[in-house]
Amino acid sequence: MTDHPIERVLAVAAHADDEILGAGGTLAVHRAAGHPVMLLILSTSGTSRPAAAHDHAQVQAHRTACAQKVADLYRAELALADFPDNRFDTVPQLRLAQTVEDAVRDWQPTIVYSHSAGDLSRDHQLTAAAVAAATRPQPGTSVRTVLAWEVRSATEWGIHQPFRPTWFQLLTDDALALKRQALEIYASELRPWPHTRSLAALEHQVRARGAEVGVDAAEAFDVIRHLPRLTGRPA
């Protein structure tokens, strides 16, 4: 959390479930603090899955329904875009940036969470670039903090730059419980242990990140930008 008591939060996820994998506990902390939260999901499609095994329209309907249930769980606003799954590099990059810019303009967030530019997933990389473009510092901007989350099975295998978090959010038991509830909604996107995107592995992740900073559980972020607010007048 930042040093400012009232935040407006925007989480920008390439795919439905990334927002919970990366920041589900942190978003729960924001919710408990009474901070308005908006979730922007750029893709709910299933176009990357084999057509013989999946009905893409059915997959998209299921992912959309799951995203709405999660937004309801967090009492968050939800915005859905329709970019093709695992094919963000086939659409004009200006469209991606403008979609994020629209959310920033309409929601006026003070803090934005999204993907690491170093992720293995090309969709994640392009989402990170779109967020960077949409949150460029401008006079009068509402955005003071931009943080990149980690998504297991994408961030730890990135080949461009290592994920070195310097921002940690302590997770309460209630925040962890809400994150688990959200992950259960996205159960179709999870995998059995010992996959890194299994419930057990995700539990180990928050415990390990917590141990790095001497607490029971935490989520970790890479600081893209943070502008502290002055809390008092100079002497």
Side-chain angles (χ1 to χ4, degrees):
M1 204 73 65
T2 72
D3 56 0
H4 187 51
I6 301 299
E7 300 288 354
R8 288 182 65 83
V9 181
L10 174 63
V12 182
H15 316 104
D17 80 341
D18 288 335
E19 77 282 12
I20 301 305
L21 292 169
T26 299
L27 295 176
V29 173
H30 279 296
R31 191 196 80 159
H35 301 161
V37 175
M38 180 180 185
L39 308 178
L40 172 59
I41 311 296
L42 296 179
S43 176
T44 58
S45 81
T47 51
S48 68
R49 302 191 178 191
H54 296 276
D55 182 315
H56 296 318
Q58 185 176 1
V59 169
Q60 185 166 23
H62 174 71
R63 287 180 172 179
T64 299
C66 289
Q68 186 61 64
K69 288 179 181 177
V70 166
D72 292 344
L73 182 66
Y74 281 81
R75 298 195 296 271
E77 296 290 326
L78 176 65
L80 297 174
D82 193 26
F83 294 101
D85 179 34
N86 277 294
R87 292 193 299 164
F88 284 15
D89 54 357
T90 66
V91 301
Q93 299 309 292
L94 180 60
R95 279 185 55 206
L96 280 170
Q98 288 176 333
T99 299
V100 182
E101 285 173 352
D102 288 346
V104 170
R105 182 188 64 248
D106 295 344
W107 191 245
Q108 290 291 296
T110 59
I111 182 167
V112 177
Y113 297 93
S114 192
H115 292 279
S116 167
D119 277 11
L120 183 63
S121 165
R122 184 65 174 146
D123 285 2
H124 293 188
Q125 295 170 20
L126 293 174
T127 299
V131 169
T135 60
R136 284 172 296 187
Q138 301 287 343
T141 183
S142 64
V143 178
R144 305 183 70 84
T145 306
V146 182
L147 301 174
W149 60 47
E150 58 181 333
V151 173
R152 291 295 174 162
S153 76
T155 307
E156 75 271 28
W157 290 112
I159 58 176
H160 299 288
Q161 60 193 60
F163 184 79
R164 293 193 176 121
T166 55
W167 185 293
F168 293 79
Q169 175 59 55
L170 167 68
L171 302 184
T172 63
D173 289 342
D174 287 345
L176 283 173
L178 198 68
K179 177 168 180 164
R180 290 189 198 102
Q181 282 183 262
L183 288 171
E184 288 168 3
I185 292 172
Y186 283 131
S188 62
E189 305 301 319
L190 299 178
R191 300 292 181 268
W193 174 262
H195 197 285
T196 52
R197 209 163 66 246
S198 64
L199 280 174
L202 294 169
E203 177 73 18
H204 294 324
Q205 175 188 349
V206 296
R207 298 299 181 186
R209 288 304 190 190
E212 289 177 21
V213 289
V215 299
D216 285 339
E219 285 175 334
F221 302 89
D222 184 14
V223 179
I224 306 304
R225 186 171 70 257
H226 176 53
L227 179 63
R229 294 179 183 271
L230 294 178
T231 57
R233 295 181 179 180

